[in-house]
Amino acid sequence: MKDESAAAIIADTADAATAAGKLAAEVAAEPAGPAREAAFDHALEVLRDRRDEFNEKGHVPRDYIALLKKAGLFGVAIPEQFGGQPQSPAKFMKQVEKISAVDPATGWVASFGSAPVYFASLPVETQRKIYAESTDIVFAAGMFPMFEAERVEGGYICSGEWQFASGCKGADLLGMGLRGGEGTNGKPLTALVDPAKVEIVDNWSVAGMKATGSHNVRADRVFIPEEMTFVRGGEPTIDEPISRYPVIAYAAQVLAVVALGAARGALDYVTEVGSAKASITGGPAKGNRPVYKSGLAKAEADLRSARAFFYETTEEVWAKAVADEEITDRDKALLRMASTQAAHVGREVVLAAFNLAGTGAIFERHPMQRFLQDGLVPAQHAMLQEHTFEASGALLLGLNAGIPSFP
């Protein structure tokens, strides 16, 4: 009976790659150059008007995702051989940083424009099929907890409920984490699935990053063809600069840069708006107080220092990827260090700006709350917590990192 059930499930399974391509093809990026740059500027303007709406909805709606697609945010990691126009990690992350300076949660969702770098370890034919109709694929994944899938002929039957699927309500393609085996070197598998085949569990009730819509994803005996699975961080099956850049480190970077953007937004507010407000007690304008001036200067210096380390390291490793030079564990450790530093300094800068903003910033509708509630989150992510400093230091010393799949 079990085999017959599995056969029925397999027969009923739609082609996730084709479904994703058709869904993504509804909106395409503007041509590279002035048209795409104008689309990006337009998306930022719309975001300023609608960011409160997104926070109240608890997700970034599909019509706004379409604007990010037009701006090219979801085509930045598609290999050239499949018709993509990949761009350097630094260029992409500076765009995410600008979005995050307006609304960090939307920046977090936009950051997953880099996610197709994972797909480079899929079979070449699978990649070709995914990108056949569109090179603007929106991907979201719930990787954990990892479930043991039922192995059947031609693939896996998957059941479970995965957490933290950021942006899942606007995704063209979803991923689910599966336990790896002997052939994955301890790394998890990711199974790709048509969003129509799974259930989004609307349970994202949080204080920060509300608009990311990082709901759970539930599957009940969904068949995943083997060719639609890949080892997360596995060896790429294609060879281009974008597939040579360290994929796990990049995943940490695109989240860390959201903290840099949140910090920039918070500092811009206390510089341009908050400093001009006089105290209700009759004291001088805040910007005229010594503690305000020195606090602002220190926060600006801290942010710029962390940002310089972050992008300097990114550019150095990208240059190696372009030149097809060896990217060492030390290079990857520096990327991870720079990412964790960016996330933690970004959080401290947001807190410093909140301190400067004074009592008024405690109100829910105060502009600083957006940066405070969202800007504290990146450093909480497993890939950016304090222990990644220790693991990076271990690699710099030639020791074992002590964390699976690190760096």
Side-chain angles (χ1 to χ4, degrees):
M1 181 64 71
K2 188 172 183 180
D3 288 342
E4 291 175 1
S5 175
I9 291 168
I10 292 169
D12 186 50
T13 297
D15 189 327
T18 302
K22 287 181 177 178
L23 190 59
E26 294 174 1
V27 181
E30 295 288 351
R36 191 173 296 179
E37 291 167 8
F40 181 73
D41 291 340
H42 174 64
L44 287 180
E45 286 303 313
V46 172
L47 182 58
R48 290 186 181 95
D49 291 336
R50 298 184 63 188
R51 55 192 176 185
D52 290 339
E53 172 201 335
F54 299 170
N55 193 60
E56 290 167 5
K57 285 180 179 291
H59 69 278
V60 179
R62 189 172 285 276
D63 68 306
Y64 187 77
I65 294 292
L67 296 186
L68 296 179
K69 280 190 179 185
K70 288 183 177 181
L73 269 293
F74 292 99
V76 298
I78 312 298
E80 287 184 2
Q81 72 180 81
F82 303 119
Q85 297 175 317
Q87 62 187 45
S88 74
K91 182 178 180 181
F92 170 64
M93 288 190 289
K94 286 175 181 177
Q95 289 181 301
V96 173
E97 186 181 9
K98 286 183 178 179
I99 295 169
S100 302
V102 177
D103 184 55
T106 302
W108 188 275
V109 173
S111 79
F112 293 103
S114 65
V117 294
Y118 287 125
F119 299 173
S121 57
L122 282 164
V124 172
E125 188 53 41
T126 300
Q127 295 181 62
R128 184 174 290 112
K129 187 180 290 186
I130 288 175
Y131 304 129
E133 296 196 43
S134 177
T135 53
D136 297 288
I137 300 286
V138 180
F139 176 66
M143 285 300 298
F144 299 98
M146 292 178 288
F147 288 90
E148 193 77 47
E150 178 186 341
R151 195 75 165 88
V152 294
E153 184 177 355
Y156 304 87
I157 293 180
C158 303
S159 296
E161 186 170 321
W162 291 264
Q163 299 177 335
F164 302 113
S166 298
C168 57
K169 289 190 174 183
D172 305 315
L173 191 61
L174 290 175
M176 305 177 297
L178 305 178
R179 288 197 186 98
E182 292 181 4
T184 69
N185 196 27
K187 296 177 180 179
L189 284 173
T190 300
L192 300 182
V193 63
D194 178 355
K197 292 292 181 179
V198 298
E199 175 190 359
I200 293 175
V201 182
D202 204 329
N203 67 335
W204 188 239
S205 179
V206 290
M209 292 290 181
K210 290 181 182 179
T212 63
S214 303
H215 303 285
N216 287 11
V217 172
R218 181 185 294 152
D220 183 15
R221 294 187 63 74
V222 175
F223 175 68
I224 309 293
E226 186 161 10
E227 63 270 18
M228 292 297 288
T229 66
F230 61 88
V231 177
R232 184 170 178 263
E235 287 297 315
T237 56
I238 59 171
D239 185 30
E240 291 188 20
I242 195 65
S243 63
R244 297 174 199 145
Y245 193 82
V247 60
I248 300 298
Y250 196 14
Q253 285 189 283
V254 298
L255 302 180
V257 80
V258 173
L260 293 180
R264 172 47 55 203
L267 280 187
D268 285 351
Y269 176 82
V270 296
T271 301
E272 299 165 6
V273 181
S275 62
K277 292 187 177 180
S279 170
I280 61 173
T281 63
K286 293 175 186 175
N288 257 339
R289 300 173 189 175
V291 69
Y292 199 103
K293 289 180 275 192
S294 61
L296 176 63
K298 288 177 182 177
E300 187 73 42
D302 287 343
L303 177 59
R304 287 175 178 266
S305 297
R307 189 175 184 276
F309 176 34
F310 183 85
Y311 284 114
E312 175 187 287
T313 309
T314 300
E315 294 284 17
E316 287 175 355
V317 177
W318 176 245
K320 285 190 170 187
V322 171
D324 199 9
E325 296 177 1
E326 180 187 6
I327 296 173
T328 66
D329 279 351
R330 178 184 172 84
D331 293 324
K332 296 173 188 176
L334 286 169
L335 288 175
R336 297 298 301 270
M337 285 167 54
S339 300
T340 301
Q341 180 76 351
H344 285 260
V345 170
R347 176 167 64 179
E348 293 303 318
V349 168
V350 167
L351 287 170
F354 177 71
N355 184 46
L356 293 175
T359 308
I362 69 173
F363 287 91
E364 288 183 357
R365 287 292 184 179
H366 192 282
M368 188 59 68
Q369 283 296 321
R370 174 178 299 107
F371 303 114
L372 179 69
Q373 293 176 23
D374 292 352
L376 303 189
V377 174
Q380 299 292 110
H381 194 280
M383 298 187 80
L384 298 168
Q385 290 177 13
E386 287 277 355
H387 67 280
T388 56
F389 279 127
E390 180 185 358
S392 298
L395 290 181
L396 295 183
L397 293 168
L399 305 174
N400 189 295
I403 298 177
S405 303
F406 194 90

